């Protein structure tokens, strides 16, 4: 690995590195969400009250980490905007066997919660300084590619060996060029005034401010210099230790629901596992429509274009509510629907597929986004009413999700979309 001297980085190279950071944060968010959605629950076979308490604890930890990754994604996009660049909310679909972000060659892949999955998460968040994790994570990368049934990508020079090193080079480049920061971009950035982010997020108007936020990203992720803190690395290390102990004392305990890996609903996504069960496919397509809408809403929030302050606040409120009211419950529902006859004993799952390549053109308008939200709610309501072999429990869940999504439409303020449209 040959590190780039930060003083030699030009602005366009620094922006490209920020694109890598945004893509990485987004992909980590989705992988953590998938694992959380597959956790077993109370009432599942073999899940006692004590075991259910453990899986709930892990679910909460994964959710907390996912929220922090969304915070990091917001920060990285704010820095992009402060540099005069466009935000980046897009990413490739899963699986991605090659790693552009680390010298470990970790793949990006959607897998149910188990020890190997937690190992991979731990290694994504490994600290930059040398430690026991280096040899451990090199082996983890080899095992993860074997699980994918794909060869480890050919060795290649990478400008950074860890997430921390990637951010460190970005920070040094910006501090070396404080004139790159456009103070006029402050009104276009997403701050705690729009979304209740913690710690409080202010618009980035100086290089020093950008550097402080980058330090926070690294501290929350890798936990350096004290990796035994409340960092993501420390959380995953704790979960891995718990799983090791349970494997010794309760070898029959399987904490993850048996979903397929890298589910796909788009037949052109040849790297994924195509879901063939008709009912699961219908729900999976609705999920992807909602997830794409979420990404498009975020893109609109980062690229305001003449809408009022009330409209922008309303859009932010919808984005904040969409994850707990729509995306997470639909994801959990998909993990309980059969994957199809080609995958006996396996269940589907959320694929988080995005159209490839990224569509061009201006971001969707507020009214268009509101109309699409209403359409997705309508699709869920129809699925909840149609006898498509989906089962009464799933139909009830879809009806509840539809009702909750419909309550979000009036939050677009002012809204030109009528509920009767």
């Amino acid at each position: 690995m040959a590190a780039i001297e930060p003083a030699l980085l030009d602005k366009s190279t620094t922006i490209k590195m920020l694109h890598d950071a945004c893509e990485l944060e987004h992909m980590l968010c989705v992988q953590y969400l998938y694992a959380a959605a597959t956790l077993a629950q109370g009432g599942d076979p073999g899940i006692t009250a004590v075991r259910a308490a453990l899986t709930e604890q892990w679910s909460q930890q994964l959710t907390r980490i996912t929220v922090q990754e969304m915070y990091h994604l917001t920060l990285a996009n704010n820095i992009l905007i402060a540099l005069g660049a466009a935000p980046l909310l897009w990413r490739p679909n899963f699986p991605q066997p090659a790693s552009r972000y680390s010298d470990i060659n970790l793949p990006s892949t959607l897998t149910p919660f188990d020890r190997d999955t937690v190992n991979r998460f731990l290694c994504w968040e490994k600290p930059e300084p040398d430690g026991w994790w280096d040899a451990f994570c090199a082996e983890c990368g080899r095992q993860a590619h074997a699980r994918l049934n794909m060869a480890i990508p050919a060795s290649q020079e990478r400008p950074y060996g860890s997430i921390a090193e990637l951010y460190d080079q970005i920070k040094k480049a910006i501090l070396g060029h404080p004139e790159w920061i456009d103070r006029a971009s402050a009104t276009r950035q997403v701050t705690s005034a729009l979304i209740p982010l913690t710690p409080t997020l202010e618009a980035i108007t100086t290089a020093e401010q950008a550097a402080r936020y980058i330090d926070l990203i690294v501290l929350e992720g890798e936990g350096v210099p004290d990796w035994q803190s409340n960092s993501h690395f420390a959380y995953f290390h704790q979960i891995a230790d718990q799983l090791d102990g349970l494997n010794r004392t309760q070898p029959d305990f399987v904490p993850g629901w048996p979903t397929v890996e890298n589910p796909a609903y788009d037949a052109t996504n040849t790297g994924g596992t195509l879901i063939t069960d008709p009912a699961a496919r219908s729900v999976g397509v609705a999920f992807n429509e909602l997830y794409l809408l979420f990404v498009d809403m975020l893109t609109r929030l980062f690229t305001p274009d003449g809408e009022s302050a009330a409209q922008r606040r309303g859009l932010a409120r919808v984005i904040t509510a969409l994850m707990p009211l729509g995306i997470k419950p639909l994801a959990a529902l998909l993990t309980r629907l059969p994957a199809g006859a080609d995958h006996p004993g396996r269940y589907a799952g959320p694929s988080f597929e995005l159209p490839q390549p990224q569509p061009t053109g201006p971001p969707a308008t507020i009214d268009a986004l509101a109309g699409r939200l209403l359409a997705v709610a309508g699709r869920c309501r129809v699925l909840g009413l149609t006898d498509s072999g989906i089962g009464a429990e799933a139909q009830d869940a879809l009806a509840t999700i539809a009702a909750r999504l419909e309550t979000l439409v009036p939050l677009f303020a002012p809204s030109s979309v009528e509920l009767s449209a």
Side-chain angles (χ1 to χ4, degrees):
M1 180 194 68
I4 296 174
E5 174 57 47
L8 300 179
L9 290 176
D10 58 22
K11 188 175 180 180
S12 63
T13 302
T14 303
I15 288 172
K16 173 60 175 67
M17 294 176 77
L18 276 164
H19 286 168
D20 282 353
C22 290
E23 186 177 294
L24 170 63
E25 300 291 3
H26 193 168
M27 296 193 81
L28 289 178
C29 282
V30 172
Q31 291 174 82
Y32 298 161
L33 280 172
Y34 188 90
T38 67
L39 277 163
Q41 304 169 6
D44 289 338
I47 302 301
T48 63
V50 173
R51 291 176 176 180
L54 261 179
T55 59
E56 176 60 26
Q57 173 192 321
W58 293 331
S59 176
Q60 291 177 6
Q61 288 175 316
L62 283 166
T63 298
R64 173 187 172 88
I65 292 170
T66 300
V67 169
Q68 288 184 333
E69 295 292 358
M70 286 298 298
Y71 181 90
H72 300 170
L73 178 60
T74 301
L75 278 172
N77 273 289
N78 277 352
I79 296 173
L80 274 174
I81 293 170
L83 294 180
L88 180 67
L89 281 306
W90 224 255
R91 52 155 186 80
N93 287 324
F94 296 93
Q96 290 295 315
S99 169
R100 298 196 300 277
Y101 325 105
S102 169
D103 59 1
I104 305 172
N105 264 328
L106 284 171
S108 295
T109 178
L110 301 177
T111 55
F113 184 96
D114 59 21
R115 182 62 163 90
D116 288 343
T117 294
V118 173
N119 283 351
R120 196 176 77 253
F121 292 168
L122 181 149
C123 289
W124 272 122
E125 306 279 6
K126 78 178 183 71
E128 182 182 353
D130 294 339
W132 61 262
W133 41 79
D134 292 314
F136 176 86
C137 290
E139 177 60 24
C140 174
R142 286 189 287 270
Q143 292 179 0
H145 278 94
R147 181 169 176 167
L148 262 179
N149 197 28
M150 289 184 174
I152 298 176
S155 178
Q156 56 181 307
E157 285 288 301
R158 287 180 172 79
Y160 27 84
S162 66
I163 299 173
E165 188 175 343
L166 164 61
Y167 277 115
D168 185 60
Q169 293 200 40
I170 293 170
K171 180 181 79 170
K172 289 177 179 176
I174 292 174
L175 286 174
H177 298 278
E179 73 279 3
W180 288 351
I181 300 294
D182 177 15
R183 298 176 64 89
S185 71
T187 58
R188 300 194 300 275
Q189 296 177 39
V190 174
T191 68
S192 294
L194 284 171
I195 295 179
L197 299 164
T198 304
T200 300
L201 180 55
E202 298 176 346
I204 295 169
T205 57
T206 67
E208 291 75 15
Q209 200 175 13
R212 288 195 298 272
Y213 279 129
I214 289 173
D215 286 341
L216 177 61
I217 292 174
V218 174
L219 182 65
E220 288 186 342
E222 294 72 44
V224 292
D226 174 21
W227 67 267
Q228 292 181 318
S229 62
N230 290 327
S231 66
H232 302 174
F233 180 84
Y235 275 127
F236 289 131
H237 187 261
Q238 176 193 42
I239 294 172
D241 281 349
Q242 289 176 308
L243 287 171
D244 284 344
L246 289 165
N247 186 53
R248 289 190 296 269
T249 61
Q250 303 178 46
D252 64 321
F253 179 26
V254 180
W257 196 249
T259 65
V260 300
E261 299 185 3
N262 301 299
Y265 300 91
D266 181 353
T268 65
N269 184 7
T270 56
T273 304
L274 188 65
I275 303 302
T276 57
D277 179 81
R281 284 191 61 79
S282 296
V283 178
V285 169
F287 175 88
N288 283 337
E289 289 180 354
L290 185 62
Y291 173 65
L292 174 60
L293 177 59
F294 178 75
V295 173
D296 285 345
M297 285 182 179
L298 280 171
T299 302
R300 176 81 258 176
L301 192 65
F302 278 104
T303 52
D305 185 22
E307 59 264 29
S308 67
Q311 283 180 311
R312 202 164 181 226
R313 287 194 300 270
L315 176 60
R317 287 196 292 268
V318 175
I319 290 171
T320 303
L322 207 57
M323 184 64 71
L325 298 187
I327 291 175
K328 285 187 67 177
L330 263 182
L333 175 59
L334 277 166
T335 66
R336 300 309 172 108
L337 299 178
D342 296 340
H343 314 287
R346 293 285 171 177
Y347 293 82
S351 67
F352 298 93
E353 288 167 288
L354 292 173
Q356 303 294 329
Q358 180 179 357
T360 58
T365 65
I366 296 287
D367 284 349
L369 294 170
R372 285 167 58 188
L373 178 58
L374 192 58
V376 174
R379 177 187 282 271
C380 290
R381 187 166 292 283
V382 169
L383 287 172
L385 294 172
T386 305
D387 183 12
S388 57
I390 204 170
E393 187 174 345
Q395 285 181 298
D396 289 345
L398 284 164
T400 299
I401 292 168
R404 289 172 176 171
L405 293 179
E406 287 168 351
T407 65
L408 299 182
V409 176
L411 294 180
F412 289 99
S415 175
S416 62
V417 178
E418 299 296 335
L419 286 176
S420 59

